[in-house]
Amino acid sequence: MAKSRFEYVRNYELPDPLIPGTFIVVRIDGRGFHKFSDAHQFRKPNDKRALDLMDLAAKTVMNEYKDVILAFGESDEYSFLLRRNTKLYNRRRSKITSSIVSLFTSAYVFHWSVYLPNTPLQYPPSFDSRAVIYPTEKEVRDYFAWRQADTHINNLYNTAFWALVQGGQTTTEANKTLQGTDSKDKNELLFSKYNINYNNLPAMYRKGSICVRQPLPMSTVDPLSPTPPVTQRLATTADIIADHDSSLDQPNAQLANDEQKPIKKPKKVKPYEGIDGELVIVYEDIIKDQFWNERPWLLL
Amino acid sequence: MAKSRFEYVRNYELPDPLIPGTFIVVRIDGRGFHKFSDAHQFRKPNDKRALDLMDLAAKTVMNEYKDVILAFGESDEYSFLLRRNTKLYNRRRSKITSSIVSLFTSAYVFHWSVYLPNTPLQYPPSFDSRAVIYPTEKEVRDYFAWRQADTHINNLYNTAFWALVQGGQTTTEANKTLQGTDSKDKNELLFSKYNINYNNLPAMYRKGSICVRQPLPMSTVDPLSPTPPVTQRLATTADIIADHDSSLDQPNAQLANDEQKPIKKPKKVKPYEGIDGELVIVYEDIIKDQFWNERPWLLL
Amino acid sequence: MAKSRFEYVRNYELPDPLIPGTFIVVRIDGRGFHKFSDAHQFRKPNDKRALDLMDLAAKTVMNEYKDVILAFGESDEYSFLLRRNTKLYNRRRSKITSSIVSLFTSAYVFHWSVYLPNTPLQYPPSFDSRAVIYPTEKEVRDYFAWRQADTHINNLYNTAFWALVQGGQTTTEANKTLQGTDSKDKNELLFSKYNINYNNLPAMYRKGSICVRQPLPMSTVDPLSPTPPVTQRLATTADIIADHDSSLDQPNAQLANDEQKPIKKPKKVKPYEGIDGELVIVYEDIIKDQFWNERPWLLL
Amino acid sequence: MAKSRFEYVRNYELPDPLIPGTFIVVRIDGRGFHKFSDAHQFRKPNDKRALDLMDLAAKTVMNEYKDVILAFGESDEYSFLLRRNTKLYNRRRSKITSSIVSLFTSAYVFHWSVYLPNTPLQYPPSFDSRAVIYPTEKEVRDYFAWRQADTHINNLYNTAFWALVQGGQTTTEANKTLQGTDSKDKNELLFSKYNINYNNLPAMYRKGSICVRQPLPMSTVDPLSPTPPVTQRLATTADIIADHDSSLDQPNAQLANDEQKPIKKPKKVKPYEGIDGELVIVYEDIIKDQFWNERPWLLL
């Protein structure tokens, strides 16, 4: 096609590759979500519907980008881990960060009515995103540990804060009451004054949401038959929602679940076998070893 | 608030400031829009509804970010110009590119039914984005000239292509027919065979959409009275749609319009007086001087 | 040639191009030059020999890199301006900054004995360097104005400081004496107490050194004869030193000179005519317009 | 000190930090060393004097920068490894790459006459440099393996090439003779035609130079006495040259040496115990495990 004499301006688009062989974490954050949650009357301190919507948007991202192998969400933020050797968009920084935040946002608006059918969306919400490079497994684990520790700290505070407010304090008074308190103090306050056992609250609130692929059970793979072709289809809304974990209704149901199911032995799991597994949301401890030992392909 | 021992991972988030005193252009592009437009039966070669939706999403961005002073769109892409000395997000590259593409996407999905009420959105669409730095006025003008020249080339080709297809050729045949033809050939083909005078087609298709603020007429500013406060409110959907230019129904209506209205004298326009003007979509020649002379604040 | 299986590590070398169409300034700074100047008994407040050596090293750089069109030095630093559209090393940041600082350093050590024949170099000195991008003429002029203003401020302070010390104060006392004084105070102190008229001190000390190419006189270009081939030879030490300006012996000699020679009319100067001119060191005002008007090719 | 109105230009100096917790390799390369080696009649295919000078310049760098823990050189290039967690210059890219190449260059010129006393330096040579980030131990080892494999390939070629030339072929003929040959062919050519057993050539030529700190012998550390203070003095030329390994005179002397000396047990070596050890140049295999096992602090 004919080129115009203005074409030279393309030379100003400079390359922005991320270093090869490193883990990429893309974190998206809600812009102005304090106001947004007020405008849409989100429940305090946690609104399960809004969190489920975030989880579904995250699933949409992971469903589209196979190299996103893990995601962790809390409140209005979500972090996506791309596998160490991903070649997605030739590791171009802007392309990766913008495509992920755009799809996440799109899914958030698109699926809104699934979880908040009676709350009309008043204006288009948005998120920002950034990519951070981590060189080794250690920093990746510490990154997710950081986010989960943050979830705990924020949620304990918010739970105590809203208990005080719902108990009659103004927000200013509640803030003052909590000033200088540590975790133990807040736990005690909740238990003694409001009869809330913090540890019995839903794991989703205390631990955040982890989105990960469930490795296919060993038994389903018949070594004599050829591997079934992976159908690269666009997941429909129904698909994505159908497999959305709803075990949250009983507090700690997930953790209880975990104890019952036989734990896969890490050593037998082959690299990336999890790649084609079903997407699930779990509310587990991501700080301890168990989570990672069960999913060794995450840190390859 | 207590800090965890994992906090150190924040140090991996490196600064990414864009060079001060330069023009920033953020261009967003639809991802997989060939497929998306098929899935939603967009009309060929141009679907005014889809273009109007793009324009509305662009307006949403400009309504939110006052430092975005100009936007140009065609097909599934849009370019946003930030003023040279913007301090938006301290000129952080990822923050700017991600926030703009996220809001654009969000508005696109949010406003979908305004223009395509009978076409249910089947899955969440997404866009990527990138920021490009231009040092002087010259490159900025050439950038937008490049995009408008591209609009012309693509639209002439597509118009001829779909005329041939609607005239009975297969897509392969149509491609072959057009191989090696220049602009003149295509114009002649359209006129002689399909009685289409290309220059009479809607300016929106031939020139793309320009979103810009309309400077307040001089007469509205009473030098003796205090400046009326600019109400920094969230524009409602109604607002944004209301002022959406619908002059497209008559081909070249916009251009005709331009000739009638008295052209503001560039020299009297004060810096940034356009900043608080109403957002309008126009379909003008952005390559020649007139557009820029009428809006001197764009290149300050 | 055979490739080893380790070759993949090359992929970690990422591109680092500087934005096209912008001015590049490379500034080099002496590392540990306080100690270095003590170790080699540099004279205070200025050592002409050391400054001449810096100038010669700068000339060596400009002699090698034709796209370095201007340099400004003071104390142990030097700034190099590359022309706006230079293609040097494809504008790769590391390649440009490292090559310039390396050649400068090399020339500094190589030519040491020219100016300090009786002061054996005790250990190898070094410099760091950085590249800064400036988008337009304005910032380039302001950059050099900044460095020259800095030269003035530092030199006035140092001149007063060493006058006090040579007059019997300890360095601590001298610092204290000067605390809170402005330019006028320091000028007066120098004049009243030490009979020094600051404005009569050598321009080199007060204004810093400017290295620039002298445009060829118009008369030397015979329009009827072919352009003589530019002999791309390595300048010998003798060449470079020979044309080193030694007009410093009389204060302000350079400025006086400037007034005598007929000023070239900017408009007749053709682009880059200065490129092949002889390198000279001048000690002029780089803040006012005249310097730039006489050398219009610098800001093309 | 008073600030000028030009000070704003400093804002154009943007941060350029390298990712924390990663290995930094700075590689310097001679600029125009083909010509430089001709101009100074370097011996072919290898000039031990020139290589010793390179090694000494590398030692000067490592002597100054304690966080440079390993260097590898061949021909006119040298690679420096900075320890993973170095905080040198806050990991600023330009500062690190420019300071190292400047000091290397300076030392090269400064020490020239030590190794080439009868060859006057004709003009100042220069080097460029770049920094490359490697995330884990694996890439670091592979990087140095890459350079050593390259040394072998180049040296075998050059040895064969110059044997042919010294045997009477023109350089064009020699190039042609070697076209399409593999290692075995070249080895055989050298042996059958020139009676050269390639493996008996000096290890320096075949393997390149490794500069590393010698860990203090265990026996010298008396656990009951306090650690002797590390005297942070500037090494004199004499110091640096004195400990320069001169075992090269007998081919393979170094390797022979290696076999005789008792190999330190990796496990007993404490982190960074090598940091204060004496700088030595060795000509060892850096591809196999032994080199790294003996110096476990390199990859911490």
Side-chain angles (χ1 to χ4, degrees):
Chain A
M1 210 161 283
K3 286 196 176 185
S4 72
R5 69 191 155 93
F6 308 117
E7 196 87 12
Y8 80 92
V9 296
R10 293 201 66 173
N11 298 331
Y12 287 75
E13 297 182 17
L14 304 182
D16 64 345
L18 294 165
I19 296 177
T22 52
F23 295 96
I24 303 169
V25 172
V26 174
R27 184 171 73 243
I28 64 109
D29 275 287
R31 289 186 52 252
F33 260 58
H34 190 80
K35 177 181 168 181
F36 182 80
S37 63
D38 282 352
H40 295 87
Q41 278 122 8
F42 282 3
R43 293 162 195 156
K44 302 293 180 181
N46 290 288
D47 191 320
K48 184 177 181 304
R49 304 165 307 165
L51 295 175
D52 281 342
L53 178 57
M54 291 288 289
D55 292 348
L56 181 50
K59 273 185 159 181
T60 308
V61 168
M62 288 187 66
N63 195 64
E64 176 83 8
Y65 296 103
K66 297 300 180 196
D67 278 4
V68 177
I69 52 177
L70 174 68
F72 176 85
E74 62 157 320
S75 183
D76 62 344
E77 75 164 54
Y78 236 102
S79 298
F80 297 93
L81 175 66
L82 283 83
R83 67 185 187 82
R84 193 202 294 249
N85 289 310
T86 183
K87 297 278 182 287
L88 181 63
Y89 299 135
N90 287 324
R91 302 179 73 92
R92 285 152 56 198
R93 179 188 290 268
S94 288
K95 188 90 174 175
I96 290 173
T97 52
S98 64
S99 298
I100 286 179
V101 78
S102 177
L103 183 55
F104 186 93
T105 308
S106 193
Y108 189 92
V109 177
F110 181 74
H111 293 305
W112 174 268
S113 61
V114 173
Y115 293 106
L116 292 110
N118 302 317
T119 309
L121 188 55
Q122 294 181 41
Y123 60 89
S126 65
F127 299 81
D128 64 39
S129 72
R130 77 198 66 199
V132 190
I133 286 294
Y134 290 109
T136 74
E137 302 83 342
K138 181 189 183 314
E139 292 92 14
V140 171
R141 282 197 51 177
D142 286 351
Y143 175 83
F144 285 98
W146 174 50
R147 298 325 301 143
Q148 189 165 70
D150 190 73
T151 305
H152 168 70
I153 292 166
N154 289 337
N155 189 58
L156 179 54
Y157 186 92
N158 290 337
T159 303
F161 177 85
W162 287 104
L164 289 167
V165 169
Q166 281 150 19
Q169 292 197 0
T170 64
T171 54
T172 314
E173 288 166 350
N175 261 320
K176 210 172 163 185
T177 302
L178 295 175
Q179 217 171 340
T181 61
D182 62 11
S183 287
K184 214 174 137 186
D185 299 333
K186 295 194 194 77
N187 266 303
E188 210 159 282
L189 172 84
L190 283 170
F191 191 70
S192 61
K193 249 185 118 168
Y194 301 100
N195 202 26
I196 295 173
N197 184 337
Y198 181 76
N199 289 325
N200 287 343
L201 294 179
M204 181 195 229
Y205 304 158
R206 293 178 294 110
K207 296 185 186 303
S209 302
I210 298 169
C211 188
V212 73
R213 289 187 187 82
Q214 204 70 305
L216 304 170
M218 288 299 170
S219 57
T220 67
V221 182
D222 177 351
L224 296 178
S225 74
T227 311
V230 179
T231 48
Q232 279 281 8
R233 62 193 172 87
L234 259 182
T236 65
T237 305
D239 285 332
I240 300 179
I241 295 170
D243 58 28
H244 191 259
D245 187 273
S246 59
S247 64
L248 192 66
D249 300 336
Q250 287 84 26
N252 287 335
Q254 179 61 38
L255 286 185
N257 252 2
D258 287 351
E259 279 151 31
Q260 286 153 20
K261 76 173 174 220
I263 292 168
K264 232 176 334 313
K265 297 211 188 78
K267 278 175 195 161
K268 284 195 182 163
V269 179
K270 281 169 294 178
Y272 298 110
E273 91 172 37
I275 280 292
D276 300 313
E278 193 187 4
L279 286 170
V280 291
I281 303 283
V282 298
Y283 314 106
E284 296 187 17
D285 187 320
I286 206 168
I287 300 177
K288 297 207 192 104
D289 293 340
Q290 182 173 341
F291 175 84
W292 301 94
N293 285 343
E294 289 178 13
R295 298 165 182 86
W297 64 86
L298 294 177
L299 297 176
L300 289 180
Chain B
M1 210 162 282
K3 288 195 174 186
S4 73
R5 70 192 155 92
F6 307 118
E7 196 86 13
Y8 79 94
V9 296
R10 292 201 68 173
N11 297 332
Y12 287 75
E13 297 183 16
L14 304 182
D16 64 346
L18 295 164
I19 296 178
T22 52
F23 296 96
I24 303 169
V25 171
V26 174
R27 184 171 72 244
I28 64 107
D29 276 288
R31 289 186 52 253
F33 260 57
H34 190 80
K35 175 181 170 183
F36 182 80
S37 64
D38 282 352
H40 295 87
Q41 277 122 7
F42 282 3
R43 294 163 195 157
K44 302 294 179 182
N46 290 287
D47 191 320
K48 185 177 180 307
R49 305 166 305 167
L51 295 175
D52 281 341
L53 178 57
M54 290 289 288
D55 292 348
L56 181 50
K59 273 185 158 182
T60 308
V61 168
M62 288 187 67
N63 195 63
E64 176 84 9
Y65 295 103
K66 298 301 180 193
D67 279 3
V68 177
I69 53 178
L70 175 68
F72 176 85
E74 61 156 322
S75 183
D76 62 345
E77 75 164 53
Y78 235 102
S79 299
F80 298 93
L81 175 66
L82 282 85
R83 66 184 187 83
R84 193 202 296 249
N85 290 308
T86 184
K87 298 278 181 289
L88 180 64
Y89 300 135
N90 287 323
R91 302 178 71 92
R92 285 152 56 199
R93 178 188 290 269
S94 288
K95 188 90 174 175
I96 290 172
T97 53
S98 63
S99 298
I100 286 180
V101 78
S102 176
L103 183 55
F104 186 93
T105 308
S106 192
Y108 189 92
V109 177
F110 182 74
H111 292 305
W112 173 269
S113 61
V114 173
Y115 294 106
L116 293 109
N118 302 317
T119 310
L121 187 55
Q122 295 182 41
Y123 60 88
S126 65
F127 299 82
D128 63 40
S129 72
R130 78 199 66 201
V132 190
I133 287 294
Y134 290 109
T136 74
E137 303 83 343
K138 181 189 184 314
E139 292 91 15
V140 170
R141 283 197 50 177
D142 287 350
Y143 175 83
F144 286 98
W146 174 50
R147 298 324 301 142
Q148 190 165 70
D150 191 73
T151 305
H152 168 70
I153 292 166
N154 290 338
N155 188 59
L156 179 55
Y157 186 92
N158 291 337
T159 303
F161 177 85
W162 287 104
L164 290 166
V165 170
Q166 280 150 19
Q169 293 198 0
T170 64
T171 53
T172 312
E173 288 166 350
N175 261 321
K176 209 172 165 185
T177 302
L178 294 175
Q179 217 171 339
T181 60
D182 62 11
S183 288
K184 214 174 135 186
D185 300 334
K186 296 194 193 77
N187 266 302
E188 212 160 280
L189 171 84
L190 283 170
F191 190 71
S192 62
K193 251 186 117 168
Y194 302 100
N195 203 26
I196 295 173
N197 185 336
Y198 182 76
N199 289 324
N200 288 342
L201 294 179
M204 183 195 227
Y205 305 159
R206 292 178 296 110
K207 295 184 187 301
S209 303
I210 299 169
C211 188
V212 73
R213 289 186 186 84
Q214 204 70 305
L216 304 170
M218 287 298 168
S219 58
T220 66
V221 182
D222 177 353
L224 296 177
S225 74
T227 313
V230 179
T231 48
Q232 280 279 9
R233 62 196 172 85
L234 260 182
T236 64
T237 304
D239 285 332
I240 299 179
I241 296 170
D243 58 27
H244 191 259
D245 186 271
S246 58
S247 64
L248 192 67
D249 301 335
Q250 287 84 26
N252 287 336
Q254 180 60 37
L255 286 185
N257 252 3
D258 287 350
E259 279 151 30
Q260 285 153 20
K261 77 173 172 218
I263 292 166
K264 232 176 331 315
K265 298 209 188 81
K267 279 174 195 162
K268 285 196 182 161
V269 179
K270 282 168 294 180
Y272 299 112
E273 90 172 38
I275 281 293
D276 301 313
E278 194 187 3
L279 285 170
V280 292
I281 301 284
V282 298
Y283 315 106
E284 296 186 17
D285 188 320
I286 206 168
I287 301 177
K288 298 208 190 103
D289 293 339
Q290 181 174 341
F291 174 84
W292 301 94
N293 285 343
E294 289 177 13
R295 297 165 182 88
W297 64 87
L298 294 177
L299 297 176
L300 288 179
Chain C
M1 210 162 283
K3 285 195 176 185
S4 73
R5 70 190 155 90
F6 308 117
E7 196 87 13
Y8 80 92
V9 296
R10 293 201 67 174
N11 297 332
Y12 286 75
E13 297 183 17
L14 304 182
D16 64 345
L18 294 164
I19 296 177
T22 52
F23 296 96
I24 303 169
V25 172
V26 174
R27 184 172 73 245
I28 65 108
D29 275 289
R31 289 186 52 253
F33 260 58
H34 190 80
K35 176 181 168 183
F36 182 80
S37 63
D38 282 351
H40 296 86
Q41 276 122 8
F42 283 3
R43 292 163 196 156
K44 302 294 179 181
N46 291 287
D47 190 321
K48 185 176 180 306
R49 303 166 306 166
L51 295 175
D52 281 341
L53 178 57
M54 291 289 289
D55 293 348
L56 181 50
K59 273 184 158 182
T60 308
V61 167
M62 288 186 67
N63 194 64
E64 177 85 9
Y65 295 103
K66 298 299 181 195
D67 279 3
V68 177
I69 53 178
L70 174 67
F72 176 85
E74 61 157 322
S75 183
D76 62 346
E77 74 164 54
Y78 236 102
S79 299
F80 298 93
L81 175 67
L82 283 84
R83 67 186 187 82
R84 194 202 293 251
N85 290 309
T86 183
K87 298 278 182 288
L88 181 63
Y89 299 135
N90 287 323
R91 301 177 72 90
R92 285 151 57 199
R93 179 187 290 268
S94 288
K95 188 89 175 176
I96 291 172
T97 53
S98 63
S99 298
I100 286 179
V101 77
S102 177
L103 182 55
F104 186 94
T105 308
S106 193
Y108 189 92
V109 177
F110 181 74
H111 293 306
W112 173 268
S113 62
V114 173
Y115 293 106
L116 293 110
N118 303 317
T119 309
L121 187 56
Q122 294 182 41
Y123 60 90
S126 65
F127 299 82
D128 63 41
S129 72
R130 77 200 65 199
V132 190
I133 286 295
Y134 290 109
T136 74
E137 302 83 343
K138 181 189 183 316
E139 293 91 15
V140 170
R141 282 197 50 177
D142 287 350
Y143 175 83
F144 286 98
W146 174 50
R147 298 324 301 144
Q148 190 166 71
D150 190 73
T151 305
H152 168 69
I153 292 166
N154 290 337
N155 189 59
L156 179 55
Y157 186 93
N158 291 337
T159 304
F161 178 85
W162 287 103
L164 289 167
V165 169
Q166 281 150 18
Q169 292 197 1
T170 64
T171 55
T172 313
E173 288 166 350
N175 261 321
K176 210 174 167 183
T177 303
L178 294 175
Q179 217 171 340
T181 60
D182 62 10
S183 287
K184 215 174 135 186
D185 300 334
K186 295 194 194 77
N187 267 301
E188 211 160 280
L189 172 85
L190 284 170
F191 191 70
S192 62
K193 250 185 117 167
Y194 302 100
N195 203 26
I196 295 172
N197 185 336
Y198 181 76
N199 289 324
N200 287 342
L201 294 179
M204 182 194 229
Y205 305 159
R206 292 179 295 112
K207 295 183 187 303
S209 302
I210 299 169
C211 189
V212 73
R213 289 184 187 84
Q214 203 71 302
L216 305 170
M218 288 298 169
S219 57
T220 66
V221 181
D222 177 354
L224 297 177
S225 74
T227 312
V230 179
T231 47
Q232 279 281 8
R233 61 192 173 90
L234 259 182
T236 64
T237 305
D239 285 332
I240 300 179
I241 295 171
D243 58 26
H244 191 259
D245 186 271
S246 59
S247 64
L248 192 67
D249 301 335
Q250 287 84 27
N252 287 336
Q254 179 61 36
L255 286 185
N257 251 4
D258 287 350
E259 280 151 30
Q260 287 154 17
K261 77 174 173 216
I263 293 166
K264 234 176 330 316
K265 298 213 189 78
K267 279 175 195 162
K268 286 198 181 161
V269 179
K270 282 169 293 180
Y272 300 112
E273 89 173 38
I275 282 292
D276 301 313
E278 193 187 4
L279 286 170
V280 291
I281 302 284
V282 297
Y283 315 105
E284 295 186 17
D285 188 320
I286 206 168
I287 300 178
K288 296 207 191 104
D289 292 340
Q290 182 174 340
F291 175 83
W292 301 95
N293 286 343
E294 289 177 13
R295 297 164 183 88
W297 63 86
L298 294 178
L299 297 176
L300 289 179
Chain D
M1 211 161 284
K3 286 194 176 186
S4 73
R5 68 191 157 92
F6 308 118
E7 195 86 14
Y8 80 94
V9 295
R10 292 201 67 173
N11 298 331
Y12 287 76
E13 297 182 16
L14 304 182
D16 64 346
L18 294 164
I19 296 178
T22 52
F23 296 97
I24 303 169
V25 172
V26 174
R27 184 171 73 245
I28 65 108
D29 275 288
R31 290 185 52 252
F33 259 59
H34 190 81
K35 177 179 168 183
F36 182 81
S37 63
D38 282 352
H40 295 87
Q41 277 121 10
F42 283 2
R43 293 162 195 156
K44 302 295 180 182
N46 291 287
D47 191 319
K48 185 178 180 304
R49 303 165 307 166
L51 295 175
D52 281 341
L53 178 57
M54 291 288 289
D55 293 348
L56 180 51
K59 274 185 159 183
T60 308
V61 168
M62 289 187 67
N63 195 63
E64 176 83 10
Y65 295 103
K66 299 299 180 195
D67 279 4
V68 177
I69 53 178
L70 174 67
F72 176 85
E74 61 156 323
S75 183
D76 62 345
E77 75 164 54
Y78 235 101
S79 299
F80 298 93
L81 174 67
L82 281 83
R83 66 185 188 83
R84 192 201 296 248
N85 290 309
T86 182
K87 297 278 180 290
L88 180 64
Y89 300 136
N90 287 323
R91 301 179 73 90
R92 286 153 56 199
R93 178 188 290 268
S94 288
K95 189 87 174 178
I96 290 172
T97 52
S98 63
S99 299
I100 286 179
V101 77
S102 177
L103 183 55
F104 186 93
T105 308
S106 193
Y108 189 92
V109 177
F110 182 75
H111 293 304
W112 173 270
S113 62
V114 173
Y115 292 107
L116 293 109
N118 303 318
T119 309
L121 187 55
Q122 294 182 42
Y123 60 88
S126 65
F127 299 82
D128 63 39
S129 72
R130 76 199 67 200
V132 190
I133 286 295
Y134 291 108
T136 73
E137 302 84 342
K138 180 189 184 314
E139 292 92 14
V140 170
R141 282 196 51 175
D142 286 351
Y143 174 83
F144 286 98
W146 174 50
R147 298 323 301 144
Q148 190 165 70
D150 191 73
T151 305
H152 168 70
I153 292 166
N154 290 337
N155 189 58
L156 179 55
Y157 186 92
N158 290 337
T159 304
F161 177 85
W162 288 104
L164 291 166
V165 169
Q166 281 150 18
Q169 293 199 359
T170 64
T171 53
T172 313
E173 288 166 351
N175 261 320
K176 209 172 165 185
T177 303
L178 294 176
Q179 218 171 340
T181 60
D182 63 9
S183 288
K184 212 173 138 187
D185 299 334
K186 296 194 194 76
N187 266 303
E188 210 159 283
L189 171 85
L190 284 170
F191 191 70
S192 61
K193 249 184 115 169
Y194 302 99
N195 202 27
I196 294 173
N197 185 335
Y198 181 76
N199 289 325
N200 287 342
L201 293 180
M204 182 194 228
Y205 304 159
R206 292 179 295 110
K207 296 186 186 303
S209 302
I210 299 169
C211 188
V212 73
R213 290 187 185 82
Q214 203 70 304
L216 303 171
M218 287 299 169
S219 57
T220 67
V221 182
D222 176 353
L224 296 178
S225 75
T227 313
V230 180
T231 48
Q232 280 280 7
R233 64 197 170 84
L234 260 181
T236 64
T237 304
D239 285 332
I240 300 179
I241 295 171
D243 57 27
H244 192 259
D245 187 272
S246 59
S247 64
L248 192 66
D249 301 332
Q250 287 85 25
N252 287 336
Q254 180 59 37
L255 286 185
N257 253 2
D258 287 350
E259 279 152 31
Q260 287 153 19
K261 77 172 173 219
I263 292 168
K264 231 176 332 314
K265 296 211 188 79
K267 278 175 197 162
K268 285 195 183 163
V269 180
K270 280 169 296 181
Y272 299 110
E273 90 172 38
I275 282 291
D276 301 313
E278 193 186 6
L279 286 170
V280 292
I281 301 283
V282 298
Y283 314 105
E284 296 187 16
D285 187 319
I286 206 168
I287 300 178
K288 298 207 191 103
D289 292 339
Q290 182 173 340
F291 175 83
W292 301 94
N293 285 344
E294 288 177 14
R295 298 167 183 85
W297 64 86
L298 294 177
L299 297 176
L300 289 180

